[in-house]
Amino acid sequence: MTDSVTGDRWLPHVSVLAVGAFVVGTDAFVIAGLLPDISRSLSVSVAAAGQLVSVFSIAYAVLSPVLAALTGGWSRRTGLVTALLVFAAGNVATALAPGYPLVLAARVLAAAGAAMFTPNAGATAATVAGERRRGQAIAVVTVGLTSSLVVGAPLGTAIGDAWGWRATMWFVTALTVVVTPIIALRLPHIRLAGAAGLRQRFAPLADAGVVRVLAGTLLAFVGIYLPYTYIGAVFAPALAGDGDRVALLLFAFGVTGTAGNLVAGRLADRYGPRRVVITATLSLVVVFLVMPLVSGVFAAAVPVVALSGFASWSVTAPQQHRTIALSPAGAGPLAVSLNAAVLYLAISLSGLIGAVGLKSGGAAGLPVIAAVFVLAAAVLTWLSGPAERRATARTTRERSREPDQGVR
């Protein structure tokens, strides 16, 4: 890749990928707000409707690394456009499905498209921007996800409230139809080490450094999503059953999360992603331990949740940065997809652990459990320092011997 490609022109290309991430993120986050309507429409319980979220997350986690390996030799532009077409097909099928089983199957198809797009977008952004701006580029793509949490999901929920949940699926499909040709026309042609075979593409699975990063992602995001998933229970005394207050807490989390993600991307480029992860996770330990102390005062709960959003989303881009830096040439998309898969696994585990925690110790204990998980992530990240520096240096030397990656 030439320096001219990784100069000032990287931001428009990466911004297009962020728009795609916004669309995919809107679909992933909006279903939770539509569960009562889906339950009534399909004549199932709310708990059964909630399995649409679980099925999407599990399918994403399973399919993400598999699809990344199978499409690793494709042009990144072809892979991203194909992903959005599959994603759109999944949402059309969801909107048209007459019954619960077919809706579940359609969500798997939509998850396949999302699993192809989001990790691929992050890896592509890192390639387009170049090594010096890798953290910023990944952060810009991640802004699409955080923006979908703040804007896309509430807008989709409002559409569902007005015209039914199927209208929301058509809304997401329409957004996909708009963004797909933009990516097809605006993104440069990129092919990453096209000669690599499946064995090489799965190399990150055998790399101890990558495995440590993935373990850190698992620990950190189990902790992050414990209080987020059960935010209504954790702050129940301060919320007093007021749905508007819950919405405000979620909004504060999303807004500060967007800011934290952007700041973390720049700091990762300047000081290294491992330092940013350690700082963010240690900050979360403090924030989570404070949460039970302010759970009854709404005016104090808002800034604490805002701080948790800032620190939580400060972990995402640096972790992707680390997986790419440790991966052999051609395996970046797979490494990012593995990180995304582990993140979705962590979300599922946080729901299970939180349910057990609620039964055994009550809502006040969830932030404390979360603090233990993020502290473990910080310690693991700190201990991996020497080995990670050696591995990154080795990977950089190997990449310097690779031919140009074909960006034009």
Side-chain angles (χ1 to χ4, degrees):
M1 188 188 308
T2 62
D3 290 338
S4 61
V5 173
T6 60
D8 294 336
R9 289 187 292 163
W10 69 271
L11 185 57
H13 299 316
V14 173
S15 297
V16 170
L17 296 175
V19 175
F22 171 82
V23 176
V24 173
T26 296
D27 181 67
F29 292 127
V30 77
I31 292 294
L34 302 174
L35 293 183
D37 187 29
I38 294 173
S39 171
R40 291 189 298 270
S41 173
L42 300 178
S43 300
V44 296
S45 67
V46 173
Q51 296 310 304
L52 297 178
V53 178
S54 300
V55 165
F56 185 96
S57 298
I58 293 170
Y60 187 112
V62 172
L63 294 173
S64 184
V66 174
L67 293 173
L70 293 177
T71 63
W74 295 12
S75 159
R76 296 300 89 194
R77 183 169 59 197
T78 300
L80 289 162
V81 170
T82 302
L84 288 175
L85 292 176
V86 172
F87 176 73
N91 280 290
V92 169
T94 303
L96 295 176
Y100 179 69
L102 289 178
V103 172
L104 282 175
R107 295 312 293 160
V108 173
L109 183 61
M116 284 181 66
F117 183 85
T118 307
N120 195 357
T124 302
T127 301
V128 171
E131 187 173 347
R132 287 184 303 155
R133 299 180 179 88
R134 181 184 293 157
Q136 295 178 59
I138 296 172
V140 170
V141 173
T142 308
V143 162
L145 292 177
T146 57
S147 299
S148 69
L149 184 65
V150 178
V151 179
L155 180 58
T157 301
I159 291 173
D161 288 340
W163 295 291
W165 67 273
R166 295 181 191 274
T168 301
M169 296 297 100
W170 288 116
F171 167 68
V172 175
T173 302
L175 291 178
T176 310
V177 170
V178 171
V179 75
T180 301
I182 297 176
I183 289 178
L185 294 172
R186 292 287 299 165
L187 193 69
H189 176 77
I190 304 167
R191 189 179 297 275
L192 303 181
L198 286 180
R199 182 176 181 180
Q200 181 179 347
R201 297 190 192 286
F202 276 110
L205 289 171
D207 187 281
V210 173
V211 171
R212 281 192 293 268
V213 174
L214 297 178
T217 296
L218 181 68
L219 291 169
F221 281 93
V222 167
I224 286 169
Y225 276 92
L226 266 172
Y228 176 80
T229 301
Y230 295 97
I231 192 168
V234 171
F235 293 101
L239 299 174
D242 189 341
D244 290 339
R245 289 190 172 189
V246 177
L248 182 57
L249 289 183
L250 295 176
F251 179 76
F253 183 92
V255 170
T256 57
T258 301
N261 169 65
L262 288 173
V263 171
R266 290 185 174 274
L267 293 178
D269 288 334
R270 175 174 292 187
Y271 300 108
R274 194 176 66 90
R275 291 184 180 180
V276 177
V277 172
I278 293 172
T279 302
T281 47
L282 288 177
S283 300
L284 283 170
V285 172
V286 177
V287 172
F288 288 157
L289 291 178
V290 170
M291 276 188 179
L293 304 178
V294 302
S295 61
V297 183
F298 185 72
V302 173
V304 169
V305 170
L307 287 173
S308 74
F310 187 94
S312 295
W313 283 95
S314 294
V315 177
T316 306
Q319 284 294 90
Q320 293 184 48
H321 191 304
R322 293 172 70 204
T323 57
I324 292 174
L326 290 170
S327 299
L334 175 60
V336 176
S337 72
L338 288 170
N339 191 67
V342 169
L343 192 154
Y344 272 82
L345 175 61
I347 294 173
S348 300
L349 288 175
S350 69
L352 296 174
I353 295 171
V356 174
L358 284 174
K359 290 182 179 179
S360 59
L366 295 186
V368 178
I369 299 172
V372 173
F373 274 97
V374 293
L375 177 60
V379 172
L380 177 62
T381 305
W382 176 68
L383 292 175
S384 68
E388 189 167 323
R389 284 190 290 270
R390 291 192 298 269
T392 301
R394 181 179 66 251
T395 301
T396 301
R397 288 195 300 270
E398 291 173 353
R399 285 178 177 169
S400 67
R401 295 193 292 269
E402 290 288 327
D404 190 277
Q405 292 181 320
V407 180
R408 61 179 183 269

